[in-house]
Amino acid sequence: MGLTISRNRIPRRSIIRFISLIIIIIVIFQTYVSHLQSQFAFKAWGSRPATHNPKAKYNATNNDEWTQLPPTHDLERFCSSYPKRPVKKHHILISNKAKEDGPLKIFYWKQDYKVDWQKESETMCPVPLELQAFFDHYRQTKIKDPSVFWKTGYAPCFFWKTWDNQIEDRPGSCASREYGQLDFIFSTNYTDFVNADIIYTDYAFTMGIDKAPYFDQMLLPPRLAHQSWALTFYDESIGYYPHVAMPAFLNQFDLTMGSPPQLMDVPNPTYPITEKKALELANIEPTHPFDKTPEHYIAFMVTNCDAKNDRMGLIDKLVKTAGAHSYGFCSHNKEIPEELQGRDVGSWQYKKHKILASYPFGLAAENSNCLGYITEKIYDVYASGSIPVYMGAPDIADFVPEGSYIDVRNFKTYDDLIHYIKTVDREPFYRWKDIVKKDPTKFCKKCLYTGPPAWCTIMDNVHFV
Ligand SMILES: *[C@@H]1O[C@H](CO)[C@@H](O)[C@H](O)[C@H]1NC(C)=O
Ligand SMILES: *[C@@H]1O[C@H](CO)[C@@H](O)[C@H](O)[C@H]1NC(C)=O
């Protein structure tokens, strides 16, 4: 019996050897996996590889139908119904480890295209391996000049400079909702890219393509597993940059800020109005007497004669059949008065206000009819004291006082619109002023905004995990 037992018994030394071997295997395996992760790190839901495999090809297309929408011939539909955004609780997830490392690092991902690359390529800075594929791709697709040569591992120091030509990191501190004051460093140091916790970009324009897949994924940085992404987009129309509305693009970001408000985690208007400004606008008196028939009803100053909506058709009609005055390049038929000519007279906006003030109506026509895209144009007409005739965002009503403007969409034909302008009682269009004078917040539902700068919004949404 004793013999049987001893035969079945595994000697203690073997057990220790066996366990040691298992531990060694586990350690080797883990090291290998973490090596793989750092090499090809990507977030599961972003589901795309890091770009430092120079052979990798990136198609922005996935199974998402929005990446396939034709932006030009179906623009109206595209711009008037954006896909729903998932509701997120915490946006900028940062590993607890980073918290102990000192201030968080926000890296500013910037691109610019009006650059003398020959000259800028004379001063080169070192880039990490992770960014090599990006710089190769940028040079090939954006610069396209074979005489511009960047040695592997280097890129023009131009990239390192911020909007005010600064190259050094700058420290900052902002309040966060969960952790009180959080310190951060704002950096454009590409050499140190991999050490950033947050990648921030406010320049999605260079990625736009006018046919499917609509954006060039490789102009975005590689997605490293420990980094969160934040985007600001507000001053251009989805009509011109449809990719920004596409989940395939937008959902890559952990936090989005700006306009169109329908699409952004933290919405803010394209042209934010302060309460002070609202009060100012309310105090501008109508310049054209209501009981006097004007010689010319409407004027405008439009300089960009290319639009995604029928702005040019409307301008043409107003000039040809309604005696409208065009001071801008498009259908130009009227000179700026002499007393307003010259640079020292005032800004372009000041001149615009002065000019439109002589007409009961001013045309405010956006370059596209996209939800949430409301620029300065309609507010310029209020500032002149005339009544805006508006062509643009279907949700304009949320951004201006009720009953204060004429929406071109409400008319079957431009002739109907012109007839209306010539016959309508103008006085009721100014009734909002009394309401806003008492309470400036009544100016609009969604145009008021005095939020913090983007980096503070980012800090506010940090959550350590
Ligand atoms: C990208 O798209 C092109 C054209 O649709 C296709 O031929 C190619 O296989 C795609 N590449 C990848 C990596 O999916
Ligand atoms: C950028 O980062 C690298 C690596 O951390 C560092 O050596 C270099 O001094 C930094 N450059 C600037 C301008 O701060």
Side-chain angles (χ1 to χ4, degrees):
M1 230 167 108
L3 191 72
T4 323
I5 291 167
S6 85
R7 206 189 269 160
N8 282 345
R9 203 204 220 156
I10 302 162
R12 193 186 284 166
R13 197 182 290 163
S14 300
I15 292 177
I16 291 171
R17 266 197 212 140
F18 181 68
I19 290 175
S20 309
L21 187 66
I22 295 281
I23 289 173
I24 288 168
I25 289 174
I26 288 174
V27 168
I28 290 175
F29 182 70
Q30 277 191 341
T31 314
Y32 178 65
V33 166
S34 71
H35 167 76
L36 272 190
Q37 276 176 348
S38 69
Q39 284 280 305
F40 300 103
F42 60 94
K43 290 200 173 171
W45 62 273
S47 69
R48 66 194 167 79
T51 53
H52 70 288
N53 173 2
K55 291 216 173 83
K57 283 256 187 284
Y58 301 98
N59 284 350
T61 45
N62 52 17
N63 295 329
D64 186 341
E65 60 166 311
W66 284 89
T67 61
Q68 298 302 330
L69 272 187
T72 41
H73 72 259
D74 202 11
L75 189 79
E76 199 73 30
R77 188 170 83 89
F78 184 78
C79 273
S80 56
S81 71
Y82 300 135
K84 272 218 155 44
R85 302 285 338 269
V87 179
K88 289 184 249 165
K89 223 176 179 176
H90 295 295
H91 309 283
I92 299 287
L93 300 178
I94 307 251
S95 113
N96 253 317
K97 197 184 139 288
K99 194 179 179 184
E100 286 143 29
D101 283 352
L104 291 173
K105 190 163 192 154
I106 304 178
F107 180 84
Y108 180 46
W109 186 259
K110 172 200 84 152
Q111 291 168 49
D112 213 323
Y113 49 91
K114 284 177 197 130
V115 174
D116 179 353
W117 288 112
Q118 287 287 358
K119 184 171 154 280
E120 295 298 345
S121 301
E122 287 165 10
T123 321
M124 302 293 275
C125 286
V127 285
L129 181 67
E130 282 82 354
L131 295 182
Q132 188 62 49
F134 162 75
F135 283 111
D136 288 345
H137 184 71
Y138 189 88
R139 196 167 44 78
Q140 282 155 16
T141 58
K142 287 283 164 192
I143 301 176
K144 291 185 200 148
D145 176 353
S147 69
V148 171
F149 173 76
W150 302 343
K151 207 173 128 197
T152 299
Y154 291 87
C157 296
F158 165 80
F159 281 92
W160 276 244
K161 289 182 196 156
T162 49
W163 54 91
D164 52 358
N165 269 337
Q166 190 166 322
I167 198 158
E168 286 84 25
D169 291 351
R170 42 186 118 182
S173 180
C174 292
S176 82
R177 130 174 35 127
E178 280 185 77
Y179 309 99
Q181 207 68 16
L182 275 182
D183 294 339
F184 65 93
I185 288 168
F186 192 83
S187 172
T188 47
N189 188 347
Y190 282 76
T191 314
D192 208 30
F193 172 83
V194 291
N195 290 323
D197 302 295
I198 297 151
I199 309 300
Y200 168 65
T201 187
D202 61 359
Y203 202 85
F205 310 128
T206 39
M207 284 154 242
I209 304 170
D210 57 10
K211 52 184 189 299
Y214 298 122
F215 61 100
D216 185 349
Q217 186 67 50
M218 279 194 72
L219 292 178
L220 285 167
R223 182 87 204 209
L224 305 184
H226 68 279
Q227 293 176 339
S228 286
W229 281 17
L231 169 79
T232 296
F233 184 87
Y234 65 95
D235 54 359
E236 283 292 348
S237 160
I238 293 301
Y240 285 85
Y241 300 98
H243 68 285
V244 175
M246 294 170 181
F249 177 80
L250 209 53
N251 288 351
Q252 298 179 84
F253 293 89
D254 302 278
L255 180 70
T256 57
M257 297 164 272
S259 268
Q262 290 86 343
L263 287 173
M264 303 297 171
D265 300 324
V266 181
N268 66 268
T270 299
Y271 194 77
I273 298 291
T274 58
E275 289 183 27
K276 184 168 164 270
K277 175 88 179 173
L279 204 57
E280 256 173 53
L281 294 178
N283 280 306
I284 288 167
E285 294 299 322
T287 40
H288 212 279
F290 299 138
D291 53 359
K292 256 178 102 181
T293 304
E295 211 175 308
H296 297 276
Y297 281 86
I298 186 164
F300 36 85
M301 303 176 84
V302 178
T303 47
N304 172 8
C305 310
D306 164 49
K308 300 264 180 191
N309 56 12
D310 193 36
R311 175 163 79 184
M312 287 317 296
L314 175 60
I315 285 178
D316 194 50
K317 182 79 185 175
L318 290 172
V319 165
K320 286 195 177 133
T321 69
H325 279 167
S326 170
Y327 289 87
F329 296 142
C330 319
S331 300
H332 177 91
N333 67 359
K334 188 80 181 158
E335 298 307 324
I336 294 176
E338 213 156 298
E339 68 271 19
L340 285 177
Q341 281 179 12
R343 275 164 182 254
D344 47 335
V345 180
S347 67
W348 166 252
Q349 222 163 6
Y350 169 81
K351 293 176 185 178
K352 191 171 167 186
H353 299 168
K354 283 278 173 204
I355 288 169
L356 294 184
S358 332
Y359 304 82
F361 299 96
L363 179 69
E366 309 287 6
N367 60 24
S368 45
N369 300 346
C370 293
L371 278 169
Y373 181 63
I374 295 101
T375 64
E376 80 293 343
K377 295 181 181 67
I378 192 163
Y379 305 107
D380 279 346
V381 182
Y382 293 123
S384 75
S386 344
I387 301 165
V389 172
Y390 185 74
M391 173 185 261
D395 55 343
I396 180 66
D398 288 341
F399 294 83
V400 290
E402 207 184 324
S404 65
Y405 64 101
I406 296 169
D407 195 328
V408 175
R409 277 181 315 152
N410 296 341
F411 299 87
K412 269 213 185 92
T413 66
Y414 292 152
D415 285 320
D416 292 352
L417 170 73
I418 292 165
H419 174 77
Y420 182 80
I421 287 173
K422 290 188 171 174
T423 52
V424 71
D425 177 9
R426 297 194 290 275
E427 193 274 326
F429 287 99
Y430 295 92
R431 289 198 185 139
W432 62 273
K433 291 181 182 254
D434 289 333
I435 301 165
V436 173
K437 275 180 203 168
K438 281 185 209 124
D439 180 2
T441 64
K442 293 263 159 60
F443 184 78
C444 63
K445 288 195 198 94
K446 292 184 183 163
C447 74
L448 298 169
Y449 184 79
T450 47
W455 31 95
C456 283
T457 306
I458 293 172
M459 288 301 118
D460 194 28
N461 285 281
V462 160
H463 182 66
F464 291 104
V465 286

